[in-house]
Amino acid sequence: MLTAHTADESFAQLRRERHPVQAVLAESTAPTVNMGAGTPYDQVRATVRWTGKDGSTRTGRALLDPGQRAGSKVVVWLNGRERLTTEPTSASTAAVEADVFGAAAALAFAGLAFAAGRVVQWRFDQRLYDRWGREWEQFGPQWRRKTN
């Protein structure tokens, strides 16, 4: 639960810090082979221009959809320092990812607890076998039949 909550809070922090800005594409983006709709692998880097909070014109390279022409208006994301960054994870996607992280952490903890229990059990068994061995060395000869 702690891991899921922490991950969800981290995603929420990113959503609070990042904001979208209208920009103009300074160069055409090349078409690429489609790796799957909406995946970051089907995007290309291109130079964009936007107006900063102080009114100055800024440029940078952002990941954009391929096949766009120079001069097109695009939306880019900026962080708190007004630097280009990626779009933050949506609230619904972040909730799913946080749940997956929480489940993975719970499984990892359960696995470690199980492994620790098995090591403790193995150690107890070894001590028990050693004790039985010592007792057998002591009393075993008394139980053996002696043949003439």
Side-chain angles (χ1 to χ4, degrees):
M1 291 295 287
L2 179 63
T3 301
H5 177 72
T6 302
D8 193 41
E9 194 54 41
S10 175
F11 291 134
Q13 178 72 22
L14 288 177
R15 284 192 303 278
R16 285 190 298 271
E17 290 175 355
R18 296 177 181 184
H19 60 279
V21 172
Q22 283 282 347
V24 176
L25 191 55
E27 61 185 355
S28 296
T29 59
T32 61
V33 176
N34 192 357
M35 301 285 285
T39 64
Y41 302 110
D42 66 344
Q43 294 185 321
V44 294
R45 286 208 175 272
T47 302
V48 294
R49 263 189 320 275
W50 72 95
T51 303
K53 285 184 179 179
D54 59 2
S56 65
T57 301
R58 307 225 174 134
T59 60
R61 292 186 59 78
L63 281 175
L64 301 168
D65 293 330
Q68 298 185 49
R69 295 183 183 263
S72 301
K73 291 187 178 187
V74 294
V75 174
V76 294
W77 288 82
L78 302 177
N79 62 17
R81 295 184 182 132
E82 295 295 308
R83 292 188 181 149
L84 287 170
T85 187
T86 57
E87 181 179 357
T89 306
S90 69
S92 59
T93 303
V96 171
E97 288 183 17
D99 290 346
V100 168
F101 290 148
L107 285 173
F109 181 75
L112 286 172
F114 178 77
R118 295 300 297 155
V119 167
V120 168
Q121 181 67 46
W122 174 80
R123 184 65 187 128
F124 282 147
D125 288 346
Q126 291 302 310
R127 290 177 66 187
L128 183 63
Y129 297 151
D130 291 345
R131 191 177 83 203
W132 285 348
R134 286 190 304 274
E135 289 175 0
W136 183 252
E137 288 173 4
Q138 182 180 1
F139 297 108
Q142 298 173 14
W143 292 353
R144 289 193 188 131
R145 287 186 148 188
K146 297 187 182 184
T147 57
N148 293 354

